[in-house]
Amino acid sequence: MNALAARRRHPAAIALLLLVGLLVTGAAYAALAPKQASAATATADQVEHGKKLFLANCASCHGIGAVGTDEGPALPGVGAASVDFQMGTGRMPMTAPGVQVGTKKVKFSQDEIAAVAAYIASLAPGPAIPDGEFTDGSKGDPAKGGELFRVNCAMCHNAVGSGGALTRGKYAPSLRHVDGKYIYEAMVTGPQSMPVFNDTNITPDSKRDIVAYLHAIDKSENPGGLTLGSLGPVPEGLFAWVFGLGIMVGFAVWLGSKSA
Amino acid sequence: MSTPHPGSPAARLRDHDVTPQPAVSPAARSVGGVAGWLDDRTGAAKGVGYLMKKVFPDHWSFMLGEVAMYSMIVCLLTGTFLTFWFVPSAGQVVYDGSYIPLKGVTMSEAYRSTLDISFDIRGGLIIRQIHHWAALMFIVALSTHMLRVFFTGAFRKPREINWVIGCILSMLAIVEGFAGYSLPDDLLSGTGLRAAEGFMQSAPVIGSYLSYLVFDGPFPGEAIIPRLYAVHVLLLPAILVGLFTVHIVMVAVQKHTQFPGPGRTNDNVVGYPVMPVYAAKAGGFFFIVFGVIAMISAVVGINPIWAYGPYDPSPVTAGSQPDWYMGFADGALRLLPGWLEFETFGFTWSLNVAIGALLLIPVMYTLMALYPFLERWVTGDQREHHLLDRPRNAPTRTGLGVAALVFYGILMFAAGNDIMAIKLGLSINDITHLFRTLIFVGPPIAFWVTKRICLSLQRRDRDMVLHGRETGHIIRTADGQFFERHEPLDPFTRWELVQHEQFQPLQLGPATDDHGVASPNARTDRLRARLSSFYFSDRVEPVTPAELEAAHHDGHRAEAIEAPEGEAHGELEASERH
Ligand code: HEM
C-alpha cells in the first residue's frame, strides 16, 4: 500500500490511470451495450481462428487482410452482421460470378461464421450481429410491421414478400421463411442492390415489427384458397385462360357431342 | 278398355290401344292455366312461340358466347350480394375486424368493408371470389367468342351491326372490370387508379383538367370511389345488359350461322329447336358454368386484398399488375420507350404514356369494329352469308386475325415482364428489348406463316377430294406395278371440302373513260384493287365437279406410287395424266 502511495506521483501513474479508466469504461460499455457484444467479447482465439478461415476461403477474392481485390470488395467496416448474413444465408463464399450472388447451402458451422465475423469486426467497427431481443418476431406488432414493409420494402420484395424483379436480371428474393436474424441483418447491411435501413431510418423495434409481419405471413394460411404463388393478377389471368377456359370448353364439347 | 267387345275383326285389333292423352298432370294443367291467363292479357304466346321454335345449331364453339353470357349473369347476381355490404366511401377509419395483421391500421371505409365481406360476413369471401373469377371468365369467354366470330367470318352481312355491338360490349366489359378492380381501395387497386390518373394527365393540353374533373380535385381525393361505384354497379351494367339484350335478339332474328355441311345452306338452319332440347341444354349449361366458376372460387384464391394492405399513395408493390384484360394496355406502357416524352413550346408531351394509355384502346376497337366493312368493300360481296367460313378458306383474313392476336398477345405478355424475369431467371431489360422487337416483326411473320398454313391446308383438302384418303394398302398388279389404294371420300365429307367459293382479285377498270376523262374514283379504285389482290392473289380454288369427274375417270383404283408429279400437284395430275 505504502509502495503504491509512494509512487503515486510517478510520471507513469497518470498514463496508468488513464489506461485503467479506459478499460473500465470499455468494459462497462461492452456490458451495457449488448448489441455490440459479439464484437466486443470476441476472444483473441476466435479472431485468430476466423482469420485462418478467411485466408483459406475468402482471401482469394477479398484479399489478404480483406483489403479487397478485383474479385471482391474490401470488407473492413462491413461489420459482423454483414459476414453473418452473407455466410449464414449461403451467399459467401461466392462460387460462380453472375449479375447477383445467389444463395447456396451453408458450408460453415455457426461457430466458424462467428469466428470470421469476429475477425472482420476486429479490422474496423461496423454493424454487429443483432441481439436476439430484436429479431424475435413474436415480440413485434405485425400490423405496424406490415405498414412499414409496404412503405419500405414492398416495391422490391412485393407486398407479401414473394419477391420481385429488378433491372438487368437482378431480383429481390422471396422472403418466405427467412430467419429473423437475417431479416434484421439484411436491413442493417443492405446486401448488393438492397439499400441500408439504419437505426434512424427504422428503429430496432420497428425492425422487429417487420420481422413479425413477415413471420405472420409465413404462418398464415391464405383464407381464399390456393395462392398461385402470391404474385398478383398475372397468375390469376393465366389460370383463368388455361384452366377456366379449358374446363368450359371441355364441357361445351361434351354437351355439343350429346345429341338430344 | 280391357273388356272385349264385339265388332269387326279389324276394329278388335285396336282393342288394346291406348288413346293418346293430353298432358294431364295437375301441375302441367296449372302451368297451362297460368300461361293461358298471361297470354290472354299480353299476347306473349306468339313471340314466345317464335323464339321457342328457333333452331340452334350444335357446335362447341357456338357456346363460348353462352359462357360469356352466363358468367355475366353470375357477376350480376354476386355483385348484387356485394352491394349489401360494400361501403363506397373514402372516409378514413381504424380497422378493428377479425383479420389480426391489419388490426389498428387506418384505412378507407371501402377497404374496411371489403375486409369485412372477406372475413366477417358469412359466405362473403366465396361470393367475392366468385364475383372476381366470373369477371375474369366473362372476359375470357367473350374474347374467345369474338375470335370464333372473326375467324369463321360470322361478322359478314347481315351481322355487321351485331359485330359492332359485340366490340362495344367487349370494350365496356373491360372498363367495367377495371372499375370493379378499383373499388376495394387496396394497394393494387389504388396503384391502378394512380396509373389511370397518369393516363389522363398524359392527354396533351387538357390532361390535368381532365384528371381534376374525374377525381374532383387532386389525386386521390374522396370522390373517385363513390363515382366508380355508381359506374360499376349502375351505369355500365345497365348499358351492358341493354346492349347484350339487343345482341341476343339480333341473333334470334337473324338466326344462328352454321358451319357448312350436308343439307346446310344459306337459307336454313340445321339444329335443334330451342324448346325443349336446346333450352334444356342451355339451362343445364348455365348451371355448369356457374358450378365451374364456384368450384374454382372455392379452391383458388383471387385478389387477396388483405395481403396488399390499404391504399396509400406512397408505397407500391412489386408485381403490380392489372387484371389480365387490361394487361395489353399496361404492356404497351412498359414497351413504349422513354424518349417519347419531350418538351416543346413549354409543354411536356408524354407520348410514351399517351399512346399506350389513351390511343391504344380506341384505335384497337375502332379497327376491330370497322373490319367487316373493310372486308366487304374489298370483296365487293353484297350477299348475305349464313354459312360460316372454315378459317383455312379465308387465308388472308385468318392471317390478319392471327397477326392481330400476336400483337395483342405480345402486349399482354409484356405486362408480365417482371414476373417472367423472376420466374425464368432472365433480365427484365432483355425481355423488354425482345418484346420491343417482336411487336414489329412478330405480326408480319405470324401473318405470313398463317396464310401459308391455310393455303397448304386448302391444297391438302383438294388432294383429299381428288384422290381420296391414302389407305396405306399397297397393291401389286399382275405386271409388277405398285399402287397405293386410295379410298374415295364419302359424299358428306367431300361436300364440306368443296362447298366454299373463292374470290378473285378485282380487276382494275380503266383509269380514264372513252372520252379520256379521268375517272373520279381512280384513286380509291386503285387502292381497292391493290387490297383485293393482297387478299386474293394467293388462292387455292376449290375442286369443281368437272375436276372431280376427271380425277375419277383417271382411275378409281389407285394412284401410282412412282407418279412423276408429287402429291402436292394433285390438280395437275388430275387433268394431265393419260
Ligand atoms: C358484369 C360485369 C361485372 C364485372 C366484370 C365486375 C367486376 C368486378 C371486379 C373485378 C371487382 C373487384 C372484386 C374484388 O376482387 O374485390 C368487382 C367488385 C365489385 N363489384 Fe363487380 N363486376 C360486374 C358487375 C357487377 C354488378 C352488376 C354489381 C352490382 C350490382 C357489382 C358490384 C360490385 C361491388 C359492390 C364490388 C366491390 C366489392 C368487392 O370488391 O368485394 N359488380 N367487380
Side-chain angles (χ1 to χ4, degrees):
Chain A
M1 201 63 207
N2 272 347
L4 253 183
R7 290 193 190 135
R8 72 183 189 274
R9 290 181 198 281
H10 189 278
I14 189 80
L16 196 70
L17 212 63
L18 263 177
L19 198 70
V20 170
L22 276 174
L23 274 175
V24 171
T25 334
Y29 180 77
L32 296 176
K35 276 194 284 160
Q36 299 290 342
S38 72
T41 53
T43 62
D45 277 355
Q46 206 184 5
V47 171
E48 198 51 41
H49 181 47
K51 186 172 180 180
K52 283 206 194 93
L53 283 168
F54 187 86
L55 281 174
N57 296 292
C58 326
S60 57
C61 295
H62 289 287
I64 295 170
V67 291
T69 68
D70 288 347
E71 314 294 323
L75 296 181
V78 301
S82 182
V83 176
D84 188 57
F85 173 80
Q86 298 282 347
M87 291 177 75
T89 58
R91 285 178 167 80
M92 288 294 146
M94 182 176 112
T95 44
V99 275
Q100 181 166 326
V101 183
T103 55
K104 292 169 300 291
K105 213 169 148 323
V106 180
K107 291 198 291 193
F108 298 90
S109 71
Q110 197 50 51
D111 281 346
E112 290 169 321
I113 295 176
V116 179
Y119 166 65
I120 296 295
S122 76
L123 300 175
I129 295 169
D131 192 277
E133 166 79 9
F134 294 103
T135 61
D136 180 0
S138 63
K139 295 189 179 130
D141 173 358
K144 252 186 86 208
E147 280 185 285
L148 288 166
F149 190 83
R150 283 189 289 276
V151 174
N152 294 292
C153 326
M155 65 287 240
C156 296
H157 287 286
N158 166 306
V160 288
S162 320
L166 303 177
T167 51
R168 303 193 191 292
K170 294 186 206 127
Y171 59 92
S174 156
L175 303 183
R176 271 304 77 71
H177 305 293
V178 179
D179 212 63
K181 183 172 77 160
Y182 298 129
I183 298 178
Y184 195 105
E185 287 171 352
M187 288 189 267
V188 288
T189 65
Q192 300 185 78
S193 324
M194 176 164 155
V196 172
F197 297 90
N198 63 29
D199 287 356
T200 34
N201 280 341
I202 299 181
T203 63
D205 278 329
S206 302
K207 288 195 171 92
R208 183 171 60 191
D209 292 341
I210 292 181
V211 173
Y213 172 69
L214 287 172
H215 285 180
I217 294 181
D218 286 341
K219 280 197 225 84
S220 77
E221 298 164 14
N222 181 24
L226 306 177
T227 59
L228 303 179
S230 295
L231 286 170
V234 172
E236 292 164 1
L238 204 62
F239 189 90
W241 271 97
V242 175
F243 292 98
L245 185 64
I247 298 174
M248 298 295 182
V249 167
F251 272 112
V253 170
W254 175 69
L255 266 186
S257 68
K258 284 242 171 262
S259 46
Chain B
M1 226 177 265
S2 52
T3 39
H5 58 91
S8 69
R12 234 176 295 140
L13 275 178
R14 313 203 62 119
D15 263 1
H16 294 280
D17 278 2
V18 181
T19 28
Q21 304 269 325
V24 287
S25 81
R29 208 178 297 133
S30 66
V31 167
V34 171
W37 186 88
L38 268 179
D39 187 39
D40 288 346
R41 265 140 271 253
T42 60
K46 224 172 113 218
V48 172
Y50 172 75
L51 284 179
M52 292 296 149
K53 282 204 273 315
K54 281 275 159 207
V55 164
F56 200 91
D58 253 338
H59 188 268
W60 67 266
S61 70
F62 298 164
M63 298 176 111
L64 292 168
E66 273 175 73
V67 177
M69 166 166 91
Y70 299 144
S71 310
M72 186 179 86
I73 294 174
V74 173
C75 276
L76 293 173
L77 293 176
T78 49
T80 308
F81 177 94
L82 293 175
T83 58
F84 296 159
W85 287 280
F86 181 72
V87 183
S89 155
Q92 296 289 301
V93 287
V94 175
Y95 181 67
D96 192 25
S98 56
Y99 186 66
I100 305 296
L102 286 172
K103 240 189 163 76
V105 173
T106 307
M107 56 181 64
S108 67
E109 282 187 90
Y111 186 65
R112 181 178 67 178
S113 62
T114 314
L115 284 177
D116 288 344
I117 292 175
S118 307
F119 296 113
D120 294 307
I121 285 155
R122 207 175 292 270
L125 181 56
I126 181 84
I127 298 287
R128 252 197 76 226
Q129 302 206 138
I130 293 180
H131 190 69
H132 205 138
W133 277 119
L136 295 198
M137 285 315 300
F138 173 40
I139 309 179
V140 167
L142 169 159
S143 313
T144 39
H145 169 65
M146 278 187 109
L147 293 177
R148 197 280 291 170
V149 169
F150 180 83
F151 285 113
T152 57
F155 56 78
R156 288 171 302 169
K157 190 179 171 186
R159 297 186 176 76
E160 300 100 323
I161 297 182
N162 235 10
W163 169 261
V164 173
I165 292 180
C167 291
I168 300 174
L169 273 172
S170 155
M171 192 171 78
L172 291 182
I174 66 177
V175 177
E176 170 76 353
F178 181 79
Y181 178 88
S182 306
L183 283 181
D185 201 31
D186 60 297
L187 192 52
L188 270 189
S189 61
T191 306
L193 280 179
R194 177 57 141 189
E197 186 220 9
F199 301 163
M200 291 174 215
Q201 288 183 334
S202 76
V205 186
I206 58 162
S208 42
Y209 302 101
L210 189 65
S211 148
Y212 266 57
L213 186 73
V214 170
F215 288 89
D216 196 21
F219 180 85
E222 301 251 306
I224 190 69
I225 290 179
R227 285 182 180 181
L228 276 176
Y229 185 67
V231 168
H232 182 78
V233 308
L234 197 68
L235 186 62
L236 285 177
I239 304 178
L240 277 172
V241 170
L243 279 178
F244 164 75
T245 312
V246 177
H247 193 74
I248 284 289
V249 168
M250 299 246 313
V251 172
V253 170
Q254 294 175 332
K255 306 194 182 61
H256 204 286
T257 51
Q258 55 190 342
F259 277 107
R264 299 180 180 173
T265 69
N266 248 332
D267 308 313
N268 70 1
V269 189
V270 178
Y272 295 106
V274 164
M275 219 42 181
V277 178
Y278 189 71
K281 271 195 185 185
F285 199 41
F286 171 71
F287 288 106
I288 289 178
V289 170
F290 203 157
V292 169
I293 293 176
M295 187 194 69
I296 291 177
S297 313
V299 178
V300 190
I302 188 165
N303 202 13
I305 47 118
W306 54 89
Y308 301 135
Y311 184 59
D312 161 358
S314 54
V316 57
T317 161
S320 291
Q321 260 98 0
D323 273 349
W324 78 262
Y325 43 82
M326 276 293 177
F328 71 102
D330 186 8
L333 292 176
R334 291 176 191 226
L335 293 189
L336 284 163
W339 49 260
L340 284 172
E341 177 168 284
F342 51 86
E343 260 180 54
T344 46
F345 319 116
F347 286 111
T348 306
W349 303 84
S350 299
L351 297 188
N352 55 339
V353 178
I355 293 177
L358 299 179
L359 287 183
L360 181 69
I361 293 184
V363 168
M364 209 175 82
Y365 276 97
T366 310
L367 285 179
M368 232 149 79
L370 290 182
Y371 183 81
F373 304 98
L374 173 86
E375 195 185 289
R376 207 182 57 190
W377 183 64
V378 171
T379 56
D381 183 3
Q382 304 294 340
R383 293 162 307 167
E384 293 205 350
H385 291 277
H386 302 289
L387 278 185
L388 296 173
D389 278 332
R390 298 169 79 219
R392 69 182 63 172
N393 291 339
T396 306
R397 178 205 295 146
T398 305
L400 286 176
V402 173
L405 207 56
V406 165
F407 181 81
Y408 180 90
I410 291 171
L411 291 183
M412 189 166 81
F413 278 100
N417 57 0
D418 55 332
I419 305 288
M420 272 181 240
I422 39 176
K423 285 292 147 191
L424 306 177
L426 295 171
S427 151
I428 195 168
N429 304 55
D430 294 346
I431 295 182
T432 305
H433 290 308
L434 176 74
F435 280 144
R436 279 183 184 160
T437 318
L438 276 181
I439 199 83
F440 290 108
V441 300
I445 293 179
F447 172 76
W448 187 82
V449 170
T450 311
K451 190 169 163 185
R452 289 294 126 194
I453 291 177
C454 287
L455 289 172
S456 30
L457 284 173
Q458 276 184 283
R459 283 198 196 97
R460 206 190 58 158
D461 286 353
R462 271 189 68 95
D463 250 25
M464 285 279 255
V465 172
L466 290 174
H467 307 300
R469 210 165 47 79
E470 294 178 13
T471 57
H473 293 190
I474 308 291
I475 295 166
R476 206 179 88 176
T477 61
D479 51 358
Q481 251 192 318
F482 284 94
F483 291 108
E484 183 182 10
R485 201 161 62 78
H486 282 208
E487 195 177 282
L489 297 181
D490 64 87
F492 297 105
T493 319
R494 187 189 321 128
W495 171 249
E496 280 168 31
L497 303 185
V498 298
Q499 47 73 36
H500 62 289
E501 55 180 29
Q502 187 60 58
F503 288 100
Q504 307 284 332
L506 293 178
Q507 294 302 318
L508 199 56
T512 52
D513 64 13
D514 298 342
H515 308 287
V517 178
S519 149
N521 297 331
R523 192 184 284 260
T524 49
D525 282 351
R526 255 202 314 277
L527 176 65
R528 192 169 166 197
R530 211 172 305 137
L531 276 175
S532 177
S533 91
F534 165 72
Y535 263 81
F536 304 117
S537 58
D538 287 332
R539 64 186 182 283
V540 176
E541 301 285 348
V543 178
T544 61
E547 283 175 313
L548 192 61
E549 187 55 35
H552 280 200
H553 183 61
D554 174 42
H556 277 292
R557 45 182 172 100
E559 182 96 352
I561 285 181
E562 59 272 31
E565 297 95 343
E567 303 294 303
H569 297 289
E571 61 265 44
L572 288 178
E573 269 172 67
S575 47
E576 286 172 12
R577 217 134 20 99
H578 281 292

